[in-house]
Amino acid sequence: MTRAIHLIVPAPFSAISGGYIYDRRMVEGLSALGQEVRVVELAGRHPFPDEGATEAARAALAAIPEGARIVIDGLGLPAFLPLADELTRRGATALIHHPTALETGAPVGVREALKAAERVLFSACARIITTSTLTARDLPEGFGVDPARITVIEPGTDPAPRAVGSAGPGCAILSIGLLVPRKGHDVLLRALARLTDLEWSLAIAGDATRDPVHADGLRALAAELGLAQRVRFLGALPAAALDAEYARADLFALATRYEGYGMAAAEAMARGLPLAITAGGAIAEIVPEDAAVVAAVDDHTALSRAMRRPIFDKGLRAAMAEASWRAGQALPRWPDRAAAFLKALDHG
C-alpha cells in the first residue's frame, strides 16, 4: 500500500494563479498514477503569516499520520517556522515556485524576515522541488540550500489550438497575471501610454482580490494615462473564457518583475502567440529570442520601444508567432511532470 501524499497549501486551493494551477495539475497527475493525494488547506494570512496561519500550520501537521509523505507549497511554508524541527523529523518536501522573500511590494524589513525564515525552513526540509532551473540556481547561494536536495520539475502545458488573432483593426494585446506589484502591469501601462499613435487594445486577466489596493491603483493609473478606453480589466477568468482571450489575441505581454517560471508565457507559446516581456526571473529563459521582444525589468521606456514594431508590423508578428508556435510544441506536458514529481518525492 502506498503512503498517502498530503499537499499543504494556503486556502483556497481553487485560487487562480500559476502556482495554484501547478499544484492542482500535480494532484490530478499523481492521482492518475494511482497515488492517494490529500489536499490540506491552511487558514490565515500567507506568505506573511499571522497567528491564524501559524496555528493552522500546527494543526495541519498534527493531523497528518506518521509515515505520510508531506509536501508544503512555498506560499504557506513561512507559517511553519516554529515547526522546523518537526518538518525535519517527518522528512517534509518544500514545493517552491519562487521564494516568497522575492515577492515585490512588501516592505524591505518584511522581505528580510521572510528570507531568514526561508533559510531555516529550506534547510529543515528533506528535499526541495522547484519549478524552474533559475530558482534551483538561486537557492544554494541565496538561501544556503544543498544543491543535492534540489530537484527541478518545470510546469507542463496542454496541447492547445493555435491562436487565430483578432483580425484587426489594430493589435489586440493580452496580459495574464495576478494584479500584484510583482507582475508589473503598471510598467506595461506606462509603456503603452507612449504608443497611443498606434492602434492597439489591452486585456488584463488576473485576480484583483489578492491586493485590492494595488488593483485599484492600476485602474486609476490607466485612467490617469488616458488609456481607460483601451484597457479591459477582466479579473480572474475561468478556463474557457481564458482560452477565448488567448485565441483572439495578437500579442502576449507581461512586464513582470520576477517569475519563478512563467506559466502564462508558456501557455501563450503553446498557442503560437508572439510575446513582449521583461527579463524578470525565469521567464526570459523559456521564451526563445525570435519569438519575443524583451526589455529590462522596470524600464517602461525600453519596453515601449521594443513593443512599437510588433504592434505596428503584422509581418513581424507573424514571424514571431511561427517561432513561438515551434517552441510551444516542444514544451513538456503535464503527465510527464507528474511522473517526475513522484520520482523526486520518493527518491530525492
Side-chain angles (χ1 to χ4, degrees), residues 188-281:
L188 179 59
L189 289 171
R190 293 186 187 281
L192 289 171
R194 300 168 64 92
L195 300 175
T196 53
D197 58 307
L198 301 178
E199 193 165 4
W200 56 264
S201 62
L202 172 65
I204 300 176
D207 187 356
T209 64
R210 185 76 63 86
D211 189 337
V213 173
H214 183 72
D216 288 344
L218 289 174
R219 296 185 187 93
L221 178 62
E224 176 188 329
L225 295 171
L227 305 180
Q229 300 306 312
R230 293 184 183 232
V231 179
R232 293 183 296 141
F233 290 93
L234 305 177
L237 295 178
L242 191 58
D243 286 343
E245 292 296 332
Y246 273 120
R248 67 170 63 100
D250 299 311
L251 179 69
F252 176 87
L254 188 62
T256 183
R257 293 180 168 97
Y258 187 88
E259 291 296 309
Y261 178 72
M263 286 178 61
E267 293 291 341
M269 288 192 295
R271 293 163 171 81
L273 279 172
L275 301 97
I277 60 173
T278 50

Side-chain angles (χ1 to χ4, degrees), residues 36 46 51 70 90 111 153 173 194 223 244 253 268-269 307:
E36 180 185 359
H46 303 271
E51 184 176 345
I70 299 171
R90 302 195 63 175
R111 295 202 304 273
I153 310 292
I173 305 168
R194 300 168 64 92
M269 288 192 295
M307 293 183 71

Side-chain angles (χ1 to χ4, degrees), residues 7-13 15-21 23 42-50 53 57 71-80 93-103 114 118 121-122 129 178 180 182 210:
L7 172 62
I8 305 176
V9 61
F13 189 55
I16 298 177
S17 73
Y20 279 95
I21 291 170
D23 291 358
L42 295 178
R45 185 184 65 203
H46 303 271
F48 316 112
D50 54 11
V71 180
I72 305 174
D73 184 279
L75 189 64
L77 190 61
F80 287 83
T93 296
L95 170 56
I96 307 303
H97 304 285
H98 67 269
T100 61
L102 300 180
E103 190 72 33
L114 275 177
E118 288 181 318
L121 289 160
F122 292 166
I129 295 176
L178 295 169
V180 297
R182 180 171 57 86
R210 185 76 63 86

Side-chain angles (χ1 to χ4, degrees), residues 70-72 77 84 87-96 117-132 135-153 340-341 343-348:
I70 299 171
V71 180
I72 305 174
L77 190 61
L87 296 185
T88 300
R89 186 184 72 80
R90 302 195 63 175
T93 296
L95 170 56
I96 307 303
E118 288 181 318
R119 286 183 66 91
V120 172
L121 289 160
F122 292 166
S123 295
C125 290
R127 62 188 62 81
I128 308 286
I129 295 176
T130 73
T131 59
S132 75
T135 300
R137 291 198 304 268
D138 286 347
L139 291 184
E141 181 176 353
F143 295 84
V145 178
D146 179 359
R149 294 191 296 110
I150 302 173
T151 303
V152 179
I153 310 292
F341 194 99
K343 181 179 178 181
L345 199 59
D346 285 342
H347 304 293

